């Protein structure tokens, strides 16, 4: 099983990313939480502990991989906890195509390339 802990639901992934995810088994979404910019390290730790419990409640640890993309300090805290338990975590890697609009806004498209393991 692939636990998709991000704000990008599996149903919206492109064919290339879905095909790559199939190597991990069925994909199950777990939305990444909103992290307040004024949250301190203790709050991040508490949120990491909460999401660790949620992930562990989704099945036997040896049967899943966690795709985790989101706010960096929470990702680091949660990935560190998952790694200590021997749970593999991966990131999606994409080519970023940026086009500047006449009004100054950026239009960004991400083209999935591969998954990459987080290593500590």
């Amino acid at each position: 099983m692939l636990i998709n802990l991000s704000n990008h639901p599996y149903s919206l992934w492109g064919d290339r990313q879905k095909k790559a995810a199939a190597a991990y088994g069925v994909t199950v979404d777990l939305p990444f939480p909103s992290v307040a910019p004024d949250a301190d390290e203790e709050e991040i730790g508490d949120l990491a502990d909460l999401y660790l419990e949620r992930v562990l409640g989704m099945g036997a640890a040896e049967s899943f991989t966690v795709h985790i993309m989101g706010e960096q300090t929470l990702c680091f805290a949660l990935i560190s906890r998952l790694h200590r338990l021997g749970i593999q975590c991966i990131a999606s890697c994409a080519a970023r195509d940026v086009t500047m609009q006449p009004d100054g806004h950026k239009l960004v498209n991400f083209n999935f390339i591969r998954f990459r393991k987080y290593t500590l």
Side-chain angles (χ1 to χ4, degrees):
M1 172 175 36
L2 179 63
I3 298 172
N4 174 36
L5 181 51
S6 77
N7 285 317
H8 304 279
Y10 176 80
S11 63
L12 300 178
W13 289 4
D15 290 340
R16 186 173 181 172
Q17 189 168 6
K18 287 180 177 179
K19 185 176 180 181
Y24 298 94
V26 65
T27 299
V28 178
D29 290 325
L30 177 60
F32 196 91
S34 179
V35 178
D38 60 347
D40 63 20
E41 292 80 0
E42 184 177 343
E43 291 171 288
I44 295 298
D46 291 345
L47 199 50
D49 290 339
L50 174 66
Y51 272 78
L52 176 63
E53 289 179 29
R54 289 184 180 173
V55 166
L56 294 176
M58 296 180 78
E62 64 277 357
S63 70
F64 61 77
T65 296
V66 181
H67 170 248
I68 181 168
M69 301 291 290
E71 194 277 337
Q72 291 182 347
T73 60
L74 178 55
C75 283
F76 180 79
L78 184 52
I79 292 165
S80 296
R81 286 161 171 76
L82 291 164
H83 270 234
R84 281 195 293 269
L85 296 174
I87 298 170
Q88 178 175 262
C89 298
I90 59 173
S92 48
C93 303
R96 184 175 151 156
D97 180 21
V98 179
T99 305
M100 291 300 295
Q101 301 297 302
D103 66 359
H105 286 91
K106 291 181 186 177
L107 178 62
V108 181
N109 287 308
F110 293 94
N111 299 306
F112 176 82
I113 302 299
R114 66 180 294 246
F115 290 115
R116 180 182 301 133
K117 293 178 187 177
Y118 283 100
T119 58
L120 297 178

